[in-house]
Amino acid sequence: MITIYIVLVLFIAFLVIINLPVFGRLPKGLRLEKIRHLTNYRDGALQNESLTLMQPEGVSFFKVLSAFLFEKHPNKAPDKALPYILPDLNGSPKSDAPEIIWFGHSSYLIKIAGLRILVDPIFSKTPSPFSFIGSKAFFGTDVIKAEEFKNIDILIITHDHYDHLDYNSILKIAPQVKSIVTSLGVGSHLERWGIKKENINELSWNESITLFNNLQLTAVPARHFTGRKFKRNQTLWSAFVLRTANCQLFLGGDSGYDTHFAKIGEEFGPFDLALLECGQYNAYWPYIHMFPEQTVQAAIDLKAKVLMPVHWGKFSLAMHPWNEPVKRVVLAATAKQLPLVTPKLGETIILNEYLPTENWWLTE
């Protein structure tokens, strides 16, 4: 087993040394100076608001890796293709109310205020630098291709992890995007990939931008980390508050549970809908991802009227069964009397008009 670890480390080190474009580029120059002046930059890296360990004390990286690679974890992936509804990606909204189409994991399209907003698109087969490394997308989740998205108004990237900032998807989607909004530092990766600097808007926590005269985005704290190679927390990770004249959404990105949700709820709430991570959790990394019951509590802290759980349904990045996250979040939301929406992949929800709750994952 030690030999496997050594080979794996040497292989990753080799990939880092050759520095392929897929890895992106760390911030430098004025961008780096701005990062270093943030209040949560200390000891050469960006920090969470609370002390956040990557794993509990006494648990080594190799113990976590061994559990992930060598222990048996049944039902990590569905045994047949998941149901998928072919959506209208490029058409106008069918209603004045916001529409949201979920593509699995944390990728979704928002049609709101006459705009089309795409969040954390990943349409590659694996959430990793190379197709032969990492979890494969579940059967039936590859119906939509990145090249199908035309003339997106706003592309939102919450942070630079491979399952949120997907190199191949960005290369196909970003050239036609009118404006990109992301966390401070992520623009360095995008510029390395040929994205025009003038199209990139990078925000630090509690910084806002207004686009197309009627839509405001505010970056707010999350409890997570960043990095596409070995060096962590050189770029920021964020959630985003999306506000129009008639609606307010919370776009959660990745985050462990903490007091920041209640603070955001007090300052920005209530929210008409919160899209929060629900999946890829484990007791080995309890601070950087939420357990489903915490997802429900976070929505309550945010003063969200409806919760939409994401970050599940496409990849297996943890050891739990593929549909355990949604089963647990449904039970927790029911106990707390929190309204929930659980669309099929590709299904269009219409806020306040069509909020599907079919337990479609139970028959798959």
Side-chain angles (χ1 to χ4, degrees), residues 150-165:
K150 307 297 182 184
N151 300 315
I152 293 293
D153 294 296
I154 304 171
L155 173 63
I156 297 175
I157 304 295
T158 60
H159 64 294
D160 73 4
H161 282 157
Y162 291 101
D163 59 323
H164 294 259
L165 179 62

Side-chain angles (χ1 to χ4, degrees), residues 105-108 118-121 155-161 163-166 170 180-186 190 201 203 205 217-222 224-226 235-241 250-255 275 277 310-311:
H105 206 62
S106 292
S107 304
Y108 47 89
L118 185 60
V119 180
D120 286 354
L155 173 63
I156 297 175
I157 304 295
T158 60
H159 64 294
D160 73 4
H161 282 157
D163 59 323
H164 294 259
L165 179 62
D166 178 41
I170 292 297
I180 298 174
V181 178
T182 189
S183 302
L184 181 58
V186 177
L190 299 175
N201 303 281
L203 303 180
W205 290 345
L217 286 165
T218 303
V220 291
H224 199 53
F225 70 108
T226 55
T235 65
L236 195 59
W237 53 98
S238 306
F240 288 88
V241 173
F250 184 81
L251 318 179
D254 279 0
S255 180
L275 296 106
E277 69 150 67
V310 297
H311 208 245

Side-chain angles (χ1 to χ4, degrees), residues 75 82 102 138 276-281 290-293 295-296 307-314 320-334 340-345 356-364:
N75 201 28
L82 297 181
W102 177 53
F138 299 156
L276 291 171
E277 69 150 67
C278 174
Q280 323 319 321
Y281 50 81
M290 288 189 284
F291 294 91
E293 296 76 16
T295 301
V296 170
L307 166 63
M308 182 169 164
V310 297
H311 208 245
W312 71 283
K314 187 166 187 175
H320 57 66
W322 76 272
N323 57 2
E324 180 187 281
V326 70
K327 289 180 179 179
R328 287 175 59 173
V329 84
V330 166
L331 289 175
T334 301
L340 198 67
V341 57
T342 54
K344 294 185 180 73
L345 299 172
T357 57
E358 177 188 352
N359 294 342
W360 55 266
W361 53 88
L362 296 180
T363 58
E364 300 307 316

